[in-house]
Amino acid sequence: MKYDVFISYSSKNAPTAQAICHELEDNGIRCWMAPRDIPVGSKYATVITQAIKECKAVVLVFSEQSAISPWVESEINIAFSNRKPIIPYKIDLATLENYDEFYLMLNNRHWIESYPDFKMRFSELVDIVAQLVGVVVASKESKKTVASISTPETTPETTP
């Protein structure tokens, strides 16, 4: 399997979805995102459906925009039908009560509420996704140690 997680989002939330993708990938979790991972000349629906089926989990960037997107609804329906774990990552004040389609598929899921600052729960998202997909994530302390070890020390040059 080439990817661990499929990220479903409205194109209006692309910067947030890209930040989530970057955070997950920085922690060794391989992400699939449209349009980035769609091969040139491919049919979107075919490639997206296959990607969802092959990924181990789906992260839904939930917002007012994604809640009204027929594309996001279709992606979540495919994930739900294929019994994929779905992790809703809520980035605004949208609620399920106004969206029957999502309510049916997501009302019994654990949600990560990340409003008003979508970055404030990144570490929780990374931990949950890593556990679901079987990726071991290094602690922040060990990452700092590795970064300091792999950064060459610089010494001031002396002139004669």
Side-chain angles (χ1 to χ4, degrees), residues 77-141:
N77 192 12
I78 293 165
F80 183 80
S81 297
N82 284 275
R83 300 183 185 271
K84 299 295 178 178
I86 301 168
I87 303 103
Y89 194 81
K90 185 175 168 186
I91 62 168
D92 67 14
L93 296 175
T95 62
L96 276 180
E97 287 74 28
N98 299 326
Y99 307 102
D100 294 338
E101 303 82 12
F102 283 106
Y103 188 83
L104 177 65
M105 293 179 277
L106 303 174
N107 69 338
N108 65 347
R109 310 266 180 204
H110 171 75
W111 286 67
I112 300 175
E113 303 270 345
S114 191
Y115 178 81
D117 176 8
F118 73 88
K119 293 180 181 180
M120 71 183 188
R121 306 278 301 272
F122 272 4
S123 62
E124 181 180 354
L125 178 64
V126 168
D127 290 344
I128 290 169
V129 173
Q131 183 178 12
L132 280 171
V133 302
V135 171
V136 176
V137 177
S139 70
K140 291 187 189 240
E141 283 304 312

